[in-house]
Amino acid sequence: MKQNFLINLYNDKSQTKIVAILIALLIGGASVFYTNYIVKKLAEHERQEIELYAKALEIITSTDSDNDEGVAINFITEQIIKKNDMIPAIVTDDHDNPISTASASSININFPSKATEDEKKEIMYEELEVMKSQHPPIEINLAGLQQRIFYRNSDVLFQLQYYPYVQLSVIGVFVWLTYLAFSSSRRAEQNRVWVGLAKETAHQLGTPISSLMAWIEYFKSDPQFSHNEAIPELEKDVHKLEMITARFSNIGSVPTLTEENLHDILDNIISYLQSRISSKVKLYLDSDSPNPAPAKINRHLFEWVIENLCKNAVDAMSGGSGEIIITLRNQSNKWVIDISDTGKGISKANLKKVFDAGFSTKKRGWGLGLTLAKRIIENYHQGKIFVKSSEPNKGTTFRILLNI
Ligand SMILES: Nc1ncnc2c1ncn2[C@@H]1O[C@H](COP(=O)(O)OP(=O)(O)OP(=O)(O)O)[C@@H](O)[C@H]1O
Ligand SMILES: [Mg+2]
């Protein structure tokens, strides 16, 4: 199979994509991993802080405040208990009921300023549920009573846990948008090249064709040449050149779609092609829709598509004999046009690539016929074109769907 330069371009592009995605995953993974490490450290630190708080509570309740130890208690209250202003904790009895809503037996729980005692209790129980789901309690003994301290992660720890995911999502969305912007501008550029080249070709062909036509008219009017048998042949060739110009000029501009009769167009193109291909290949039209079969199409471009598909079908016979059947059907508000051949078929591996620009299995193929067909049907007619079925050594069917 011929590896066209265009195909290499496509392969390179998808490889770059894979490498970029791998690097992005690596960076994302490393950042999540590292943040998890910090989160773990911070969680350990918070546990230690709560244990210290538990110890402080035990010491306070087991000492008399009116002797010398009062200074120590003051220190503990100020430096340990009040210093912890981040980790919410609740002291409960051994049945997990909060001791009270007073500030002494819970820390860092925010009650709304106007909350009633009942509302405060409710908030405590809600908090307690969260705490239970996060960490096992710390058992303490306060003045002979068995009690527990429940606590939950500080808000900072909570934010840190989710921070990398938020950050990565934001970056991901940004990268995705940038990619879309770039690829759409690249596609716009490709379009401009296609369109510009086609327009220029049509434009350049215009002058010599008009000149040729003038010469033919001149010869026709001169009695010396008017009966020459070359003149009708010349006229045919000029007509063909005009057809090519019309195709290029239509693909190079926003083509006008007009109401046409599909049946007639297909009938015409079949008789036109039949006289130009090997006599071993027979072309048939099978149409169950009686005339007329109206569809909004651009005649020149549509004929180009059918011609490309039929040429491929002829090539698929590899010089042998065969049949090409074009079927026209009206199915659920769509025109279905099937082009079936009895050629060598398309291998499974190639099925996905046949519409790629530059993909060809032919010695002299550019691999542009189907790319062009797809562009004409999908971009210019809002239709669909795809390989309906293909079997090696049996044949291939291409299907075109057009809106009615
Ligand atoms: N009817 C078919 N039967 C078997 N293979 C097909 C058929 N139509 C297309 N193919 C395969 O798809 C490839 C691409 O077709 P396409 O028309 O795009 O390019 P091409 O015919 O090779 O070159 P060109 O640019 O001259 O048309 C062909 O080379 C061929 O391998
Ligand atoms: Mg082709």
Side-chain angles (χ1 to χ4, degrees):
M1 189 202 319
K2 196 176 69 159
Q3 277 290 311
N4 215 307
F5 72 97
L6 277 166
I7 302 181
N8 288 336
L9 207 87
Y10 276 100
N11 286 347
D12 283 355
K13 219 177 74 189
S14 63
Q15 263 171 17
T16 324
K17 253 187 221 162
I18 291 171
V19 171
I21 289 173
L22 282 182
I23 292 177
L25 285 180
L26 209 71
I27 293 174
S31 130
V32 169
F33 180 80
Y34 184 64
T35 321
N36 276 345
Y37 169 77
I38 298 177
V39 163
K40 235 190 196 156
K41 283 261 162 207
L42 195 61
E44 261 169 43
H45 181 77
E46 291 193 350
R47 173 90 189 173
Q48 281 165 5
E49 218 163 287
I50 288 296
E51 276 166 0
L52 198 63
Y53 167 66
K55 270 267 154 349
L57 278 185
E58 274 181 340
I59 292 171
I60 289 176
T61 45
S62 67
T63 44
D64 266 335
S65 53
D66 42 49
N67 56 25
D68 277 353
E69 288 163 348
V71 182
I73 290 170
N74 209 14
F75 173 80
I76 291 171
T77 320
E78 289 300 320
Q79 296 300 316
I80 299 177
I81 299 183
K82 288 193 180 157
K83 258 284 161 64
N84 172 14
D85 55 359
M86 299 224 296
I87 313 160
I90 295 174
V91 184
T92 71
D93 61 19
D94 54 356
H95 290 97
D96 297 353
N97 294 311
I99 300 287
S100 80
T101 55
S103 65
S105 40
S106 70
I107 44 169
N108 301 320
I109 309 277
N110 291 325
F111 299 115
S113 54
K114 285 186 196 136
T116 62
E117 202 57 26
D118 282 345
E119 282 167 345
K120 281 185 179 177
K121 259 199 184 129
E122 202 173 307
I123 294 173
M124 290 275 254
Y125 275 104
E126 278 166 16
E127 283 278 2
L128 206 55
E129 284 312 307
V130 178
M131 292 174 177
K132 281 181 185 173
S133 70
Q134 288 188 358
H135 301 287
I138 294 168
E139 304 284 345
I140 51 171
N141 194 314
L142 292 190
L145 284 174
Q146 198 59 33
Q147 301 191 333
R148 293 169 161 178
I149 297 180
F150 286 93
Y151 74 103
R152 68 170 171 83
N153 296 338
S154 65
D155 291 341
V156 173
L157 185 60
F158 175 81
Q159 282 161 12
L160 193 63
Q161 264 172 333
Y162 294 101
Y163 169 72
Y165 300 103
V166 173
Q167 185 193 32
L168 289 175
S169 315
V170 171
I171 293 176
V173 168
F174 175 74
V175 169
W176 180 241
L177 287 180
T178 317
Y179 172 78
L180 283 188
F182 269 108
S183 73
S184 94
S185 88
R186 200 187 54 220
R187 217 170 306 136
E189 192 177 306
Q190 283 173 353
N191 274 345
R192 275 203 297 279
V193 173
W194 259 100
V195 165
L197 209 60
K199 224 186 220 159
E200 177 64 12
T201 309
H203 180 71
Q204 298 239 358
L205 279 171
T207 325
I209 290 173
S210 345
S211 156
L212 275 174
M213 279 192 326
W215 279 111
I216 290 172
E217 287 311 310
Y218 170 77
F219 285 130
K220 272 181 23 190
S221 63
D222 189 328
Q224 201 187 334
F225 298 107
S226 61
H227 295 294
N228 194 310
E229 62 207 17
I231 288 183
E233 292 304 315
L234 273 177
E235 272 185 318
K236 258 194 219 161
D237 284 338
V238 168
H239 181 69
K240 172 92 199 183
L241 277 173
E242 276 180 324
M243 195 172 80
I244 294 170
T245 313
R247 287 175 179 179
F248 276 104
S249 112
N250 272 293
I251 207 159
S253 56
V254 181
T256 44
L257 305 185
T258 48
E259 191 101 334
E260 303 273 2
N261 187 338
L262 275 182
H263 180 97
D264 290 353
I265 289 188
L266 289 172
D267 209 31
N268 281 345
I269 198 155
I270 280 181
S271 42
Y272 170 82
L273 287 173
Q274 185 68 75
S275 60
R276 282 168 178 75
I277 58 173
S278 145
S279 59
K280 286 190 270 182
V281 179
K282 293 279 174 253
L283 270 161
Y284 302 102
L285 175 62
D286 167 11
S287 150
D288 71 349
S289 16
N291 290 338
K296 268 205 141 190
I297 55 169
N298 180 286
R299 188 191 181 105
H300 300 289
L301 296 182
F302 183 74
E303 283 175 349
W304 203 358
V305 172
I306 301 296
E307 199 178 307
N308 273 327
L309 292 176
C310 289
K311 274 189 186 160
N312 281 347
V314 172
D315 291 342
M317 317 280 182
S318 318
S321 58
E323 276 181 1
I324 300 169
I325 301 175
I326 302 182
T327 329
L328 174 65
R329 297 270 184 274
N330 180 341
Q331 268 171 23
S332 49
N333 223 22
K334 283 204 178 352
W335 287 115
V336 180
I337 302 150
D338 283 347
I339 293 103
S340 306
D341 64 56
T342 53
K344 62 173 184 239
I346 304 170
S347 73
K348 268 224 163 68
N350 286 348
L351 266 180
K352 271 192 283 176
K353 303 189 225 158
V354 290
F355 287 102
D356 287 351
F359 176 77
S360 176
T361 54
K362 298 168 196 169
K363 235 187 189 162
R364 292 181 170 214
W366 280 105
L368 288 179
L370 288 179
T371 314
L372 192 72
K374 197 175 181 70
R375 194 181 165 81
I376 290 173
I377 296 296
E378 298 191 347
N379 292 16
Y380 292 60
H381 291 89
Q382 276 68 49
K384 285 223 158 60
I385 178 169
F386 51 92
V387 181
K388 189 192 163 227
S389 62
S390 185
E391 225 180 296
N393 301 319
K394 285 255 173 74
T396 305
T397 301
F398 276 86
R399 174 164 281 190
I400 298 172
L401 298 178
L402 289 178
N403 296 320
I404 293 187

